[in-house]
Amino acid sequence: MTGHIRKAGLATALAMAGLTAQPALADSGGVSFWLPGIFGSLAAVPVTPGWAYSTIYLHLHEKAGGGQNFVTSGGIPGSVTAGLNAHADALVMGITYTSPMPVLGGQAAFTLLTAPGNIGVGIDATLTGPRGNTLSGTATDNRTTLTDVFYQGTLKWNQGVHNELVYITGNIPSGTYDSTRLANLSFGFPAIDAGVGYTYLDPKTGHEFSIVGGLTYSFMNGALQYQNGIDFHVDWAASQFVSKNIHIGIAGYFFQQLTDDSGPGAKLGGFRGQSVGIGPQIGFMILMSDGYQGYLNVRGYKDLEVENRPKSWSTWVTFSVSPAAPGPVATKPAVRKY
């Protein structure tokens, strides 16, 4: 989920450059609303209508080594002269309702989720952040708290092996945000994100490919007087079903801030960020009783390239329970009576 942090300006903003929940990276102190890697395989495939429940264990780690520099779009540098480490562990819990009634010829669903979690931030020596403030010496903060509440609405369509998706998502800011703390799992500002997606799924060959792209608009963080620029992001995944219930493959993301950060707190200018990551994945379909099925997915990402943010790696373990697709209707042989 989010890894929004603040002290001595946005000193540790760079540390948690990627920690959000449906949503993270650069922006307001290094934290944006969208967390790259949220969408994975089968993203646009319609599901069986009804209630579904999901749990995601999410671990993120950010590190900026000695002498790492961050340059803003205005040419004003921020730098880490020694080192910085930050981590977040969150247990995301969500509930989704998928309607059996068609909407615009597609399948509509609505999701709510939130997460308790722990976030830790450590700074050694000197860090200069995007607000121009400097924190020297050693500073740490560790906090177990709650994320914001997140919502998402989706529409999905299916035409054979082709599946399409449109979505809109956002957050309801949590009262657990504390601008005086280094570590927060809530943002301190509302945001809204919308996008489209596509999944190719051929049950005969087992080939699967998914891609989802979107744009994020963030509102002002009143405590920091800092407003993130508009972000563009793409999540993708490719996999092969090696059996009816198991698929393996890779997943990745691209994140780019399109417009400058703004507000009185944005003293280092636009501070646009970028991140490119990739990693492996494996998924398991699990048969369950009482008309339900389970799905377990494990995937991990590592940044290949970053700009204006620390490098990160993350691990996602997702388990969901949803209604199973109805089986074929059994028919009795006709019996003639003479």
Side-chain angles (χ1 to χ4, degrees):
M1 307 311 293
T2 77
H4 202 113
I5 43 191
R6 177 196 184 262
K7 179 144 183 160
L10 293 187
T12 53
L14 301 173
M16 302 308 292
L19 304 189
T20 54
Q22 274 284 64
L25 293 190
D27 301 293
S28 175
V31 179
S32 66
F33 173 72
W34 188 261
L35 177 60
I38 292 172
F39 283 111
S41 286
L42 309 172
V45 177
V47 299
T48 304
W51 292 96
Y53 310 89
S54 62
T55 300
I56 305 171
Y57 167 70
L58 174 60
H59 174 81
L60 299 104
H61 185 84
E62 304 280 342
K63 184 175 182 180
Q68 182 165 346
N69 294 316
F70 301 87
V71 181
T72 71
S73 60
I76 307 173
S79 64
V80 180
T81 60
L84 173 153
N85 280 279
H87 75 270
D89 293 274
L91 187 64
V92 185
M93 296 173 287
I95 184 171
T96 299
Y97 177 72
T98 302
S99 174
M101 300 295 294
V103 176
L104 299 178
Q107 184 185 74
F110 184 76
T111 299
L112 285 174
L113 60 85
T114 190
N118 176 269
I119 180 171
V121 181
I123 300 170
D124 183 21
T126 301
L127 171 68
T128 301
R131 290 182 70 200
N133 298 310
T134 299
L135 181 64
S136 297
T138 300
T140 61
D141 191 12
N142 191 286
R143 188 181 184 199
T144 299
T145 182
L146 291 172
T147 67
D148 293 342
V149 174
F150 298 89
Y151 59 87
Q152 183 180 81
T154 61
L155 269 176
K156 298 178 179 180
W157 295 266
N158 168 259
Q159 295 89 35
V161 298
H162 305 290
N163 303 271
E164 296 85 31
L165 160 77
V166 296
Y167 76 88
I168 185 169
T169 188
N171 69 312
I172 302 170
S174 166
T176 62
Y177 175 76
D178 184 349
S179 63
T180 67
R181 297 289 299 267
L182 282 171
N184 281 288
L185 279 178
S186 51
F187 290 108
F189 61 89
I192 190 165
D193 183 282
V196 298
Y198 169 80
T199 293
Y200 174 87
L201 176 62
D202 187 341
K204 294 181 180 179
T205 63
H207 301 336
E208 182 269 339
F209 174 76
S210 296
I211 185 167
V212 180
L215 294 170
T216 305
Y217 180 83
S218 300
F219 294 86
M220 178 75 72
N221 183 319
L224 304 180
Q225 289 296 291
Y226 199 114
Q227 185 173 10
N228 296 344
I230 295 173
D231 299 323
F232 169 71
H233 54 83
V234 174
D235 294 341
W236 62 269
S239 66
Q240 173 67 45
F241 278 83
V242 295
S243 72
K244 181 180 178 181
N245 298 319
I246 301 175
H247 67 108
I248 59 175
I250 58 174
Y253 55 76
F254 172 79
F255 180 97
Q256 175 67 63
Q257 186 175 336
L258 300 179
T259 64
D260 290 347
D261 293 346
S262 60
K267 295 184 178 180
L268 285 190
F271 206 72
R272 302 187 190 187
Q274 182 187 88
S275 181
V276 179
I278 195 171
Q281 67 155 327
I282 185 169
F284 305 88
M285 308 288 184
I286 304 170
L287 299 178
M288 303 176 70
S289 60
D290 300 324
Y292 281 83
Q293 65 181 6
Y295 177 65
L296 174 66
N297 181 276
V298 181
R299 65 185 186 274
Y301 299 98
K302 182 175 177 60
D303 283 338
L304 300 179
E305 180 181 350
V306 296
E307 181 180 350
N308 287 341
R309 71 190 70 229
K311 283 195 172 183
S312 69
W313 61 268
S314 61
T315 302
W316 304 63
V317 180
T318 302
F319 179 71
S320 62
V321 178
S322 61
V329 178
T331 59
K332 295 182 179 180
V335 178
R336 293 183 177 231
K337 295 184 178 180
Y338 296 93

